[in-house]
Amino acid sequence: MAQIPRAALDYLTKEINGISADAKTKVLRVLKELDWNDAPACRDAVVDVVNAVLDNYGLAAGQAAADFFDVSREMAVGEKLGATATADRDPAATEGAIRAFVDNVNDGDCDAFERLVLSRIDYEIKRAAGTTMMENAARDPLSPRFARVPSGGETCKFCLMLAGRGFVYHSKKTAGEFGHYHDNCDCRTVASWDKDGVEGYDPTAYHNEWLGRENFTIPEAKLTRYSLCMESERGRDKAIAFRDALGFTEEDAGEIMGQVYRWVGEHEPAFRESGKYGDSYTTDMVMVGKSGKTARVVVGWMKDHGKDKMRLTTIYVARRKG
């Protein structure tokens, strides 16, 4: 048995993203040439080109996933399955979506129509890759389990919920929610034949982050415009402390948010006091920075009267005693 290398999963994600980008580029060329004075003709032209592109590129994404499945299986059990690709497409559903998108053109917003069409292409291509993985797992006599494994820089809350479940599914039927994909989604459906799974995949951490995002709110601007912003008169000292102690700058706001969400998903903040606007709380945590640096970070929260979620009010690196 062997753990699936993270580099292999990252390569698959790069492949699928490249396939999606190429498909969107081809369709975008057609979209830019449309003359919407004849809306029905334009709509039909878009339906035809999108379905034609997805027939080819969806299958290409499926083949990339099938190749990954076979490589992973060979690493785990010493033998490939002979995985097959599928686009699992419903052209009528694609047409229905495009017809609905045309309402934006009727309202004079052609840019919105283009964005929605390109988003649909990305969704269907990533769905083809995920479906290929699930269908090959379902027909594998070794009955591998599969999981949703994040592989990008940011992961949406719904995907975090799925990722937090670990390798728990045996078939496409029992994993209905795995059909969820969205624009720029870098989560991959991955099969595993043993307990080793994927390098760096920690379902407990993803579950905690999901819990954190369910119960807490971190306005990104609190980081990028204040606590990590060297240009902020009031936040500069905090930004310097984050840089010196952890190597973090404005570009690392997403990483900081992820770590805070994971921490509060597992550790309840400490109550401080009640005030005019609500109850204040504090989190005292250990944050891991670049190159393995660690530092104590304090986070302030406010639970406004009548609200369920706590919102971040301040965050800073605690000064070292002595």
Side-chain angles (χ1 to χ4, degrees), residues 130-158:
T131 300
T132 292
M133 200 75 71
M134 289 189 289
E135 291 194 350
N136 282 288
R139 73 183 184 87
D140 188 337
L142 297 181
S143 299
R145 296 176 183 269
F146 48 89
R148 178 69 72 91
V149 181
S151 62
E154 295 184 19
T155 306
C156 78
K157 191 165 66 175
F158 190 86

Side-chain angles (χ1 to χ4, degrees), residues 160-279:
L160 283 170
M161 182 269 289
L162 295 178
R165 294 178 178 177
F167 285 93
V168 294
Y169 300 105
H170 276 300
S171 70
K172 183 179 178 181
K173 183 179 180 180
T174 59
E177 292 172 320
F178 266 51
H180 166 84
Y181 294 94
H182 56 83
D183 199 20
N184 298 318
C185 182
D186 277 341
C187 296
R188 301 278 75 81
T189 301
V190 180
S192 179
W193 292 260
D194 55 46
K195 60 181 178 60
D196 292 331
V198 178
E199 178 186 1
Y201 173 57
D202 184 351
T204 299
Y206 291 122
H207 177 70
N208 288 336
E209 185 172 345
W210 171 71
L211 285 176
R213 291 179 182 271
E214 281 283 285
N215 297 298
F216 299 83
T217 299
I218 303 176
E220 188 171 356
K222 279 283 186 181
L223 297 174
T224 58
R225 298 181 186 177
Y226 180 55
S227 296
L228 296 174
C229 183
M230 291 291 186
E231 306 303 320
S232 169
E233 183 177 343
R234 295 178 57 217
R236 179 175 170 78
D237 288 344
K238 291 183 174 68
I240 291 173
F242 269 107
R243 182 198 63 192
D244 293 348
L246 296 164
F248 285 150
T249 65
E250 287 180 64
E251 296 179 354
D252 301 299
E255 171 62 22
I256 292 173
M257 291 169 66
Q259 288 199 40
V260 174
Y261 279 131
R262 288 193 289 275
W263 185 276
V264 295
E266 185 177 8
H267 306 88
E268 190 74 19
F271 174 77
R272 290 183 58 198
E273 60 183 1
S274 294
K276 179 180 178 181
Y277 300 105
D279 299 331

Side-chain angles (χ1 to χ4, degrees), residues 51 54-55 87-97 120 124 127:
N51 272 325
L54 285 175
D55 282 343
D88 189 32
R89 294 198 58 246
D90 181 0
T94 305
E95 179 176 350
R120 178 74 189 195
E124 291 209 34
R127 181 177 180 275

